Amino acid sequence: MSALRFSDTISAALTEAILVVTIDNAPVNALSANVRAGLMAALDHAEKSEDVAGVVLTGAGNSFIGGADIKEFGKPPVEPLLPEVISRIEALGKPVAAAINGAALGGGLEVALACHRRLAAPTAKLGLPEVKLGIVPGAGGTQRLPRLIGTAAAIDLIANGRIISATEAKTLGIVDGVSGDALLADTIADIKTTSAASLRCTGVLSVPSEALEAIDKAAADALRKARGQRAPAEAIRLVRLAATTPLQEGLAEERRTFIELRDSEEAAALRHVFFAERAAGKVEGLEAIAPRKIETVGIVGTGLMGSGIAVAALNGGYRVIGVEQSAQAAEKGRDRIAGLLDKAVQTGRLDAAGLEDRLSRLAVTADMQQLAEADIVIEAVFDDLTVKTELFQHLDTIVRADTILATNTSYLDPNVIASATQRPERIVGLHFFSPAHIMRLLEVVNCKQTAPDVLATALALAKRLGKLPVVSGVTEGFIGNSIFSAYRREAEYMIEDGALPHEIDVALETYGFPMGLFAVYDMAGLEIAWARRKRQAASRHPTERYVVIADRLCEAGRFGQKSGRGWYAYPDGKRRIDPEVTAMIEAARAEKNIAPKHFTADEIVARLLKAMADEGETLLSGGIAARASDIDLVMINGYGFPANKGGPMFAAGRR
Ligand code: 3HC
């Protein structure tokens, strides 16, 4: 065996006349310029050398190839381009196999699709997730995948950006085999039996014919989830094209579309989100701090929020002890948690064995003393300062000295709760969003005295719960509700200044929010915020601008959708503009002598973005948020801000 090097990232060794080429471009073996050049050189060598009978491509570390190098997008292209490398693989006169040892995503799967044989490790993940970045595959994915697995299945994978296991890839026909412990040896053995004369080039296969209804259904399903984004529709068009167009023409159209989308605002925004997600939860100075070991999670309160947290913790593999005030409430809590798990079984997200395993790790009790076994206790009780403080003081007497206490408050000051306890350094905030087993966002609140290893543990726990953690400092409402308050306030100012609720809602929905603000208010109900405003009235500064319209609605018994009337009317259950509300708005304007002005949809969006971005700047300068992109993630994942606009900070910056 002799070692060869073709670039900094591409090395190779000759084994039994097979050139095993290893891509080593940490962290995910992305197809950077150096990788592409090295692969080209390795292929040239393989073609020319009489000692080489075939080639195996594989990746170093945990990835096969994580895709094109996203960091290169937006920079001038560097030769050789990926489609050239891929064409070279497919056209090589000697057999080429992919030994897919880990993630083969985007350009990584496109490389594999051009190989003549593909074997995967059982842990490998395969997919063309480009639509998640606002683009389509740009190196043959839309043209080669349908030739291998058919149009409907290719649409399902590409237009949804779905990532699949090696087993599913085998069932679909993407890989020729799944190999156990000896992937490389198996792939070498496999390619040795593949003769150069019988090479199967994916690109020359014809797309299998199938029922048009199946294709239309796959397309319609994907478009429904696409929420107005361009890439999924373009991906569907390109996959359909493969069936009727020669390979080279299809590839050219795919590349043209890829470049157009890659350079779009939507793709820039989604790339921003991609890197924002990777940066979130990283805290300067915390890199070297080891998190504490967590095996048992205590949860006080198993209502809507607590039961969702329990399901997330069970899914994360933890033992869960739920605590309620009475045996009866504990039984109800257990039923609620089991009910959520049952739902997961019914929808196919969980199998019977998974359910049994989770239930075996769950205990719900009325005996608080059982929390002595917990490594962390998360409270999910009524959001009241006295209730929470007394609970934590009581927990102080029960739990071990190294047990972490987490508060799931939305509006209370966790520093006040912490300072009332014996060990404030073990207190951290975990602000879950409802439903807690579904929503990805988790605000991890770094309180004044939170110890570094407590924060590190909270972040590690969040990751194991499958959450997207964003660290927030302490301020009323943390990051999310602070920005949301600024957004809401500005919307109400605009109502007073001349806009109507439906005009704001239409502008927001056109922009990409799933629902307008006032429709959301009506759905959630107006009375809780009304009660809060009444509590805050005494401390409100007399010169602060205050819009009374929401109060007037509540005084008139308009509490939202459930009472049939709110910002809108719901005479037949459907949302309708209500002239009565318009009259109330006009009366409120007249009281303040405000001459209403007309707002265009763009002006509405611009004013709301500015209000959010200004509040975001305040959070950044006060050290509450570490980076602007964290604020973007909170608004996208907690408040319906459209991901393809990149979040309020990104969007305001682009304007
Ligand atoms: N390009 C550049 N950097 C990438 C990258 C890529 N394709 N994929 C991941 N990275 C970086 C991340 O930014 C992160 O950097 P950091 O350490 O500086 O924060 C680092 O690699 C590790 O990433 P993760 O934290 O995501 O690592 P995981 O181990 O959790 O996951 C992965 C690995 C499954 C490969 C995941 O990173 C991933 O999904 N990557 C993106 C896959 C993708 O979308 N590929 C398509 C790219 S577009 C394309 O290929 C176009 C083609 O059709 C022409």
Side-chain angles (χ1 to χ4, degrees):
M1 187 195 281
S2 53
L4 298 162
R5 182 155 283 286
F6 295 101
S7 74
D8 290 349
T9 52
I10 301 293
S11 62
L14 197 62
T15 309
E16 303 166 47
I18 301 299
L19 190 71
V20 178
V21 177
T22 304
I23 301 145
D24 188 358
N25 185 26
V28 301
N29 300 331
L31 291 155
S32 318
N34 188 275
V35 171
R36 301 194 301 271
L39 281 176
M40 235 16 178
L43 293 167
D44 284 345
H45 172 82
E47 180 111 274
K48 282 188 207 125
S49 171
E50 284 180 6
D51 300 339
V52 177
V55 179
V56 169
L57 300 181
T58 196
N62 293 331
S63 296
F64 172 65
I65 300 171
D69 185 345
I70 305 169
K71 293 195 175 99
E72 284 184 357
F73 290 7
K75 295 186 184 156
V78 178
E79 305 266 343
L81 301 180
L82 187 55
E84 293 165 34
V85 180
I86 285 179
S87 297
R88 182 95 175 86
I89 293 171
E90 191 161 65
L92 200 81
K94 295 178 182 175
V96 185
I100 303 173
N101 55 303
L105 300 176
L109 183 56
E110 290 174 304
V111 166
L113 289 175
C115 292
H116 309 113
R117 301 281 298 167
R118 284 163 292 280
L119 264 70
T123 51
K125 297 268 173 256
L126 299 91
L128 293 168
E130 281 88 341
V131 293
K132 302 244 159 86
L133 293 166
I135 54 177
V136 291
T142 66
Q143 303 304 296
R144 288 193 179 88
L145 192 62
R147 287 177 156 84
L148 214 50
I149 66 170
T151 305
I155 287 176
D156 172 39
L157 285 192
I158 301 175
N160 292 307
R162 200 159 73 78
I163 292 173
I164 59 173
S165 66
T167 318
E168 188 177 351
K170 171 77 177 72
T171 309
L172 283 171
I174 297 177
V175 297
D176 302 300
V178 177
S179 171
D181 301 334
L183 173 69
L184 206 52
D186 289 349
T187 315
I188 292 170
D190 182 273
I191 201 74
K192 276 171 69 182
T193 61
T194 308
S195 79
S198 66
L199 289 187
R200 185 186 55 162
C201 295
T202 313
V204 304
L205 302 174
S206 10
V207 176
S209 60
E210 59 195 299
L212 201 58
E213 294 81 52
I215 298 172
D216 287 344
K217 180 172 182 317
D221 286 350
L223 283 178
R224 221 182 2 262
K225 293 182 218 144
R227 289 250 228 117
Q229 297 189 16
R230 260 190 82 192
E234 288 291 41
I236 292 167
R237 180 178 69 80
L238 291 163
V239 171
R240 283 183 187 270
L241 201 67
T244 54
T245 314
L247 180 70
Q248 291 311 323
E249 266 177 50
L251 289 177
E253 179 55 16
E254 178 196 69
R255 191 71 186 167
R256 189 197 62 70
T257 312
F258 164 78
I259 290 170
E260 188 186 315
L261 291 178
R262 185 195 61 191
D263 298 340
S264 67
E265 267 303 295
E266 188 163 289
L270 289 167
R271 272 200 301 280
H272 164 75
V273 174
F274 177 85
F275 288 115
E277 288 192 0
R278 266 92 201 148
K282 287 186 184 159
V283 177
E284 227 183 286
L286 219 59
E287 304 84 0
I289 308 281
R292 296 183 190 176
K293 197 163 178 219
I294 302 287
E295 281 170 0
T296 301
V297 177
I299 299 171
V300 183
T302 54
L304 190 67
M305 190 54 104
S307 55
I309 299 172
V311 169
L314 291 168
N315 289 342
Y318 294 109
R319 225 184 114 217
V320 170
I321 304 173
V323 175
E324 270 298 345
Q325 281 173 324
S326 67
Q328 207 184 11
E331 203 179 308
K332 271 197 182 153
R334 192 180 195 285
D335 288 350
R336 204 173 291 119
I337 296 165
L340 293 174
L341 291 169
D342 271 338
K343 217 170 185 181
V345 173
Q346 281 157 25
T347 51
R349 279 176 293 144
L350 188 64
D351 59 18
L355 174 68
E356 199 178 320
D357 166 50
R358 281 160 180 75
L359 290 176
S360 74
R361 284 185 276 111
L362 171 69
V364 187
T365 169
D367 177 13
M368 183 87 85
Q369 295 297 329
Q370 296 208 9
L371 292 177
E373 290 171 35
D375 303 305
I376 184 170
V377 177
I378 305 171
E379 67 75 15
V381 298
F382 186 60
D383 211 14
D384 176 272
L385 192 62
T386 313
V387 172
K388 297 207 181 207
T389 307
E390 285 177 4
L391 171 66
F392 274 23
Q393 285 168 337
H394 186 37
L395 285 171
D396 256 346
T397 66
I398 295 174
V399 300
R400 288 191 321 260
D402 62 339
T403 297
I404 295 172
L405 300 183
T407 171
N408 174 46
T409 181
S410 326
Y411 280 101
L412 301 175
D413 183 342
N415 286 334
V416 174
I417 301 175
S419 61
T421 68
Q422 286 172 20
R423 293 188 168 82
E425 67 282 358
R426 66 158 150 194
I427 309 279
V428 67
L430 289 179
H431 181 214
F432 286 87
F433 287 70
S434 188
H437 59 301
I438 305 236
M439 294 285 279
R440 265 180 91 208
L441 180 64
L442 179 59
E443 282 184 310
V444 176
V445 185
N446 188 13
C447 308
K448 198 160 76 194
Q449 297 186 65
T450 304
D453 69 328
V454 169
L455 183 61
T457 309
L459 289 166
L461 174 104
K463 285 260 161 77
R464 220 172 112 183
L465 296 183
K467 301 292 172 202
L468 175 65
V470 173
V471 177
S472 172
V474 175
T475 189
E476 188 176 339
F478 313 121
I479 295 176
N481 281 331
S482 298
I483 305 277
F484 185 69
S485 291
Y487 163 63
R488 201 196 43 168
R489 201 181 315 124
E490 193 64 24
E492 292 189 14
Y493 289 168
M494 263 192 289
I495 295 278
E496 211 176 49
D497 289 343
L500 286 171
H502 68 275
E503 291 170 345
I504 294 184
D505 281 359
V506 167
L508 287 169
E509 284 167 21
T510 309
Y511 185 70
F513 278 84
M515 219 176 180
L517 179 64
F518 294 95
V520 170
Y521 277 157
D522 275 0
M523 204 174 70
L526 308 184
E527 67 280 8
I528 292 176
W530 186 38
R532 193 167 51 240
R533 285 196 301 277
K534 283 196 280 194
R535 277 200 307 274
Q536 291 167 339
S539 57
R540 194 174 300 125
H541 198 278
T543 59
E544 185 188 320
R545 182 173 177 185
Y546 184 74
V547 181
V548 294
I549 301 163
D551 294 346
R552 298 265 165 89
L553 293 176
C554 292
E555 285 156 16
R558 308 184 66 110
F559 295 123
Q561 207 164 335
K562 60 177 176 286
S563 66
R565 301 177 321 150
W567 286 95
Y568 295 91
Y570 300 84
D572 45 6
K574 281 213 183 97
R575 198 187 315 145
R576 305 243 187 274
I577 299 167
D578 189 343
E580 220 175 89
V581 175
T582 309
M584 288 164 92
I585 292 170
E586 283 167 354
R589 288 176 193 153
E591 281 165 29
K592 288 192 183 173
N593 291 322
I594 295 172
K597 105 178 223 352
H598 173 72
F599 290 93
T600 65
D602 192 58
E603 281 167 342
I604 289 172
V605 169
R607 246 179 90 164
L608 293 173
L609 281 181
K610 182 169 182 317
M612 285 190 258
D614 287 350
E615 181 65 23
E617 289 301 336
T618 306
L619 295 178
L620 287 170
S621 59
I624 301 298
R627 36 183 106 74
S629 62
D630 281 356
I631 298 174
D632 287 334
L633 290 182
V634 169
M635 298 318 288
I636 290 169
N637 293 284
Y639 300 82
F641 198 100
N644 60 334
K645 295 292 196 299
M649 305 304 284
F650 180 84
R654 300 292 271 203
R655 271 179 174 244

